[in-house]
Amino acid sequence: MPPAAATPPTQTPTASKSAPQKAMEKLGLVRDIDLALHLPMRYEDETRLTPIGALREGEPAQVEGVVVDCQVEMRGRRQLLVRLKDDTGTLLLRFLHFYPSQQKQMSGAHRLRVRGEARVGFFGREMVHPVVKVVDDDTPLAQSLTPVYPASAQLPQAYLRKAVASGLARADLRELLPEGAVPRGLPSLKEALHYLHHPPPSASLAALEDHSHPAWQRLKFEELLAQQLSQMQAQRERALLAAPALRGGPGGLHEQLLAALPFQLTAAQQRVAEEIAQDLARPQPMHRLLQGDVGSGKTVVAALAATVAIDAGWQCALMAPTEILAEQHFRKLVGWLEPLGLKIAWITGSVKGKARQAMLDSAASGEAQLIVGTHAVIEDKVRFARLGLAIIDEQHRFGVAQRLALRDKLKAGTGDGLPPAGPAMSTAPLEPHMLMMSATPIPRTLAMTYFADLDVSTIDELPPGRSPIVTKVFTESKRDDVIDKIRGAVTDGAQVYWVCPLVEESEAVDLRNATETHAELSATLAGTSVGLLHGRMSPADKAAVMAQFSSGQMSVLVATTVIEVGVDVPNASLMVIEHAERFGLAQLHQLRGRVGRGAKASVCVLLYTPPLSDTGKSRLKAMAETTDGFEIARRDLDIRGPGEFMGSRQSGAELLRFADLQEDAPLLVAARALAPQLLDAHPAAAQRHVLRWLGTKAEFLKA
Ligand code: ADP
Ligand code: MG
């Protein structure tokens, strides 16, 4: 973006920044426009005076009077008492904590203006610890409501008020949007900001505080527009990039894989596979999110996409967030694709030495057609000869920074190995196609806001023959009964997961829980093979345990959340989650998705330790009431709100400060309609609008 359009920073970086300056920077208040967009949380009314005689119990008010008396007295404790008088009565000001300087200030004063909550005490009307200002007979009242800003300990309100006022005065608030573009009835940005920072005494505090005032609507509209613009811009930039057009031939790998699969694709799988194939055939990079509930069969869709890329003579990389998952994908893909003659490499952080070098070489030479691994796949040392397609599984588990790294690194055909050859020969570096997969469905308004530059494919049905999971919620006191049930189930040939919670602040405690539970279950279920899986184990040990459980040699697997995503053992039909109240809703749903993958009726038992918080209660209730991932996501959004729901993506930048996706859906729809028109007809204004609102955060929105 052209830096010329940026507003100059309020302060230049120097070594000697004051604490408030640093605190402002931390809040992102760097440019004048940032300050102008830092809006009050609430207001104080210093525009009028209430006669002392008219003060009402418990209501905040400002009064002015003459100091009659000021002294320190012992009334149970030492306190400073000031008596203030106007024509209508007297008011006692009481200070339980005070500095000598305050005492001096007030005893020397003739007239005081004070603000606080009045109450009627034993000695008449009083205010405890009011805000005090020494005034003259003719000190003017405030002309507008006094803003109270989100501040911090290092950033005093008074300092911030001044900084915002001067930022507001200096900022360039020229109208950027063409006539008629803004929804009817909304003020200009400049009017809106001046109004919100300094509302007139007549303003409706209710409309200001619940953000329904037209000035607020304008701000929210602007914010949503900036976000839509930046994402659509990213989408258009992407459309200008070149990618290899990937098309599989008749009788090719794609058809061979379909013929070899032990099952038929569901209609939903066929539909999304077709959507992906159409994208891959275009000479622009695909940027598609494949979402489908846990167990809906995303992996095979990914494998089909890989065969298209490989058939066209390009490489495919598949990245998973954990080693266990990467390894499981590796095995599954080897099982499907090696019989078709494909060469598959495996790259994770734990593969070292010669084996690692061999893998790196085969990726760089183009010998490996499919490269499967953890985020080690995007490390600097890994080079691809001809990367045509990158697939990211469980994309929500990767942070913003990792997604940016991936986007920057993966340029198709720019590896150190063979130059791009054949029909895709081109001078410009080619981008690979990207397919992201997620089992956490994103509700529509969120998808429109956060993923506006993504195309979305949705698998909305499960493979046939799955019996629904029954979820039961018990208190911890039922633990022994649950263990009895496990004994019975294992005798009947069932396999069981027992999940121990992650104690975030202490991996050690976490481990002890899992280890103790493992010992306990091994003892009470004597004669049953009980395994243990946790994050501290070496990858080889983890793989060995998973292999035993997958093959059915092991009946019970005690695990921490390392099994959360993607693990697929269809015979497992019983899951117990201990301290279920400590997990988030999305996480519980992911965990539960490890069972119900085969034909056997599955049960998920949620054990909790009372008392439950309100959100804990609504989470467990949601789990018991539905197994539909989309419904779970909706409820999760209600419980947590959009910021937290989006997790790591959100942490990259404070994305939406003002707009509320549920309440402001009409504004979102309007912004979404305006954005493409603006980009077409007024591209420069669109750029300036994005910069004004997002500054340097704009990059993050494209991740
Ligand atoms: P997820 O979408 O959660 O990643 P997986 O790809 O792991 O789901 O698939 C879950 C299970 O369903 C796997 O064992 C997979 O082989 C199987 N599966 C996938 N598609 C079908 C289908 N169309 N019919 C039957 N089983 C299927
Ligand atoms: Mg999966």
Side-chain angles (χ1 to χ4, degrees):
M1 243 161 253
T7 324
T10 340
Q11 65 249 7
T12 38
T14 61
S16 57
K17 267 180 214 148
S18 68
Q21 270 173 337
K22 282 189 206 146
M24 286 214 304
E25 255 170 60
K26 221 165 159 194
L27 287 175
L29 304 177
V30 178
R31 307 170 300 166
D32 289 331
I33 187 71
D34 300 329
L35 285 160
L37 295 175
H38 192 64
L39 292 176
M41 308 179 278
R42 57 186 178 83
Y43 303 89
E44 276 161 7
D45 189 350
E46 295 173 318
T47 63
R48 60 190 119 213
L49 294 174
T50 305
I52 290 176
L55 281 175
R56 272 191 295 189
E57 173 93 23
E59 269 180 24
Q62 176 169 255
V63 302
E64 192 175 303
V66 184
V67 179
V68 188
D69 183 34
C70 174
Q71 52 192 303
V72 176
E73 276 181 31
M74 289 299 292
R75 282 197 188 170
R77 60 185 293 178
R78 228 171 88 85
Q79 40 186 286
L80 174 63
L81 300 176
V82 180
R83 226 173 303 272
L84 210 60
K85 183 177 177 320
D86 71 3
D87 297 342
T88 63
T90 46
L91 174 70
L92 182 69
L93 312 180
R94 277 206 299 144
F95 300 85
L96 306 173
H97 315 279
F98 57 94
Y99 295 107
S101 58
Q102 278 175 302
Q103 185 186 354
K104 214 170 136 200
Q105 180 200 29
M106 285 187 263
S107 58
H110 170 62
R111 216 175 166 78
L112 293 180
R113 191 175 289 168
V114 303
R115 197 161 36 77
E117 248 173 50
R119 59 181 210 192
V120 183
F122 188 67
F123 298 100
R125 290 197 182 84
E126 62 176 34
M127 276 188 191
V128 180
H129 286 192
V131 179
V132 175
K133 192 171 163 188
V134 178
V135 291
D136 296 325
D137 289 346
D138 53 0
T139 306
L141 283 165
Q143 292 300 300
S144 56
L145 300 178
T146 309
V148 180
Y149 294 106
S152 64
Q154 282 73 40
L155 186 54
Q157 192 60 234
Y159 183 97
L160 187 55
R161 246 176 223 154
K162 270 196 199 126
V164 170
S166 58
L168 180 65
R170 276 194 308 257
D172 174 5
L173 299 176
R174 259 174 306 170
E175 185 63 60
L176 296 175
L177 306 181
E179 284 270 321
V182 177
R184 214 177 299 166
L186 302 188
S188 74
L189 178 67
K190 188 169 181 173
E191 284 163 353
L193 283 176
H194 280 277
Y195 190 93
L196 293 176
H197 284 290
H198 304 292
S202 62
S204 150
L205 275 180
L208 285 175
E209 280 170 14
D210 73 7
H211 295 189
S212 63
H213 192 279
W216 266 115
Q217 299 281 313
R218 171 72 204 239
L219 267 283
K220 295 198 268 195
F221 176 73
E222 291 253 319
E223 175 177 50
L224 289 164
L225 181 64
Q227 199 196 34
Q228 293 298 314
L229 282 172
S230 85
Q231 300 212 357
M232 282 183 197
Q233 231 163 10
Q235 199 172 26
R236 291 184 176 200
E237 280 166 23
R238 192 156 44 78
L240 297 176
L241 300 173
L246 307 175
R247 226 177 256 121
L253 289 168
H254 190 264
E255 282 181 19
Q256 293 171 36
L257 174 57
L258 278 178
L261 285 176
F263 49 75
Q264 289 247 304
L265 293 190
T266 61
Q269 282 172 318
Q270 279 174 26
R271 174 172 44 76
V272 298
E274 182 51 34
E275 286 165 3
I276 293 167
Q278 282 180 7
D279 279 3
L280 292 177
R282 293 198 190 102
Q284 288 90 36
M286 168 173 78
H287 202 58
R288 188 172 279 278
L289 176 70
L290 171 59
Q291 58 176 14
D293 208 345
V294 278
S296 61
K298 295 183 290 292
T299 317
V300 70
V301 174
L304 286 166
T307 59
V308 174
I310 295 166
D311 240 353
W314 290 78
Q315 289 172 299
C316 172
L318 174 76
M319 196 163 89
T322 66
E323 290 228 358
I324 292 183
L325 187 51
E327 162 135 20
Q328 182 187 287
H329 281 324
F330 178 66
R331 283 176 197 283
K332 191 161 245 176
L333 293 166
V334 164
W336 283 335
L337 300 174
E338 269 190 1
L340 307 181
L342 295 193
K343 177 106 174 57
I344 306 172
W346 160 244
I347 299 183
T348 72
S350 66
V351 179
K352 301 242 153 67
K354 272 195 185 146
R356 183 179 179 78
Q357 196 52 51
M359 291 306 170
L360 292 180
D361 290 346
S362 77
S365 70
E367 187 196 354
Q369 292 151 302
L370 176 58
I371 296 93
V372 181
T374 56
H375 57 269
V377 168
I378 50 168
E379 269 172 29
D380 283 348
K381 290 195 188 66
V382 185
R383 295 269 176 276
F384 302 94
R386 292 162 58 72
L387 186 65
L389 170 63
I391 303 174
I392 309 175
D393 194 15
E394 307 293 350
Q395 66 90 30
H396 62 286
R397 300 285 302 242
F398 290 97
V400 174
Q402 276 166 318
R403 279 195 291 262
L404 281 173
L406 183 72
R407 199 189 58 184
D408 290 346
K409 177 189 171 88
L410 300 178
K411 299 263 187 242
T414 55
D416 298 339
L418 304 171
M425 179 80 83
S426 138
T427 45
L430 295 177
E431 300 273 327
H433 297 278
M434 275 233 266
L435 177 64
M436 287 157 267
M437 305 201 286
S438 173
T440 304
I442 295 138
R444 216 177 82 86
T445 42
L446 273 192
M448 274 164 67
T449 326
Y450 291 87
F451 294 108
D453 74 323
L454 275 186
D455 298 309
V456 180
S457 289
T458 305
I459 305 184
D460 52 8
E461 76 183 303
L462 294 180
R466 302 265 170 87
S467 39
I469 307 169
V470 175
T471 301
K472 297 185 173 168
V473 182
F474 296 125
T475 70
E476 175 67 20
S477 59
K478 288 276 170 27
R479 188 187 166 102
D480 289 343
D481 300 344
V482 171
I483 295 176
D484 277 344
K485 281 266 157 37
I486 292 181
R487 189 176 293 117
V490 166
T491 315
D492 295 341
Q495 284 183 283
V496 183
Y497 291 106
W498 185 291
V499 183
C500 300
L502 184 79
V503 181
E504 291 235 357
E505 58 279 17
S506 162
E507 223 182 306
V509 175
D510 186 23
L511 200 58
R512 198 183 62 222
N513 288 343
T515 316
E516 279 172 7
T517 305
H518 175 247
E520 178 197 353
L521 291 182
S522 302
T524 44
L525 301 173
T528 304
S529 160
V530 182
L532 175 63
L533 188 73
H534 59 74
R536 288 271 186 90
M537 287 162 62
S538 76
D541 288 348
K542 275 190 228 167
V545 170
M546 274 319 293
Q548 281 183 327
F549 191 65
S550 298
S551 68
Q553 283 166 276
M554 182 184 286
S555 301
V556 180
L557 181 60
V558 177
T560 57
T561 48
V562 290
I563 60 150
E564 179 184 340
V565 288
V567 169
D568 183 35
V569 179
N571 191 49
S573 60
L574 179 56
M575 169 171 282
V576 180
I577 304 180
E578 238 185 310
H579 281 297
E581 78 280 3
R582 293 189 194 164
F583 293 95
L585 193 46
Q587 207 178 11
L588 286 172
H589 181 64
Q590 279 279 350
L591 283 167
R592 179 171 62 181
R594 300 313 112 215
V595 294
R597 300 195 146 231
K600 257 193 200 155
S602 293
V603 176
C604 176
V605 175
L606 304 177
L607 286 178
Y608 70 92
T609 307
L612 280 180
S613 66
D614 284 349
T615 54
K617 234 176 258 168
S618 30
R619 283 198 297 257
L620 298 186
K621 186 160 176 279
M623 285 297 290
E625 285 174 358
T626 180
T627 52
D628 175 356
F630 286 86
E631 177 59 23
I632 295 265
R634 266 192 295 278
R635 298 213 193 176
D636 201 16
L637 181 62
D638 282 346
I639 297 173
R640 291 198 286 170
E644 272 195 62
F645 182 87
M646 296 309 294
S648 61
R649 189 179 173 85
Q650 177 77 354
S651 71
E654 195 187 50
L655 295 184
L656 282 180
R657 289 185 280 166
F658 304 134
D660 175 301
L661 292 179
Q662 262 132 10
E663 275 171 26
D664 301 322
L667 290 175
L668 174 58
V669 171
R672 196 171 168 76
L674 175 61
Q677 298 168 19
L678 209 54
L679 281 175
D680 289 335
H682 307 274
Q687 290 268 19
R688 277 206 293 275
H689 183 85
V690 170
L691 201 62
R692 178 184 269 179
W693 270 88
L694 301 168
T696 52
K697 290 175 192 158
E699 261 313 285
F700 273 106
L701 284 164
K702 299 181 190 170

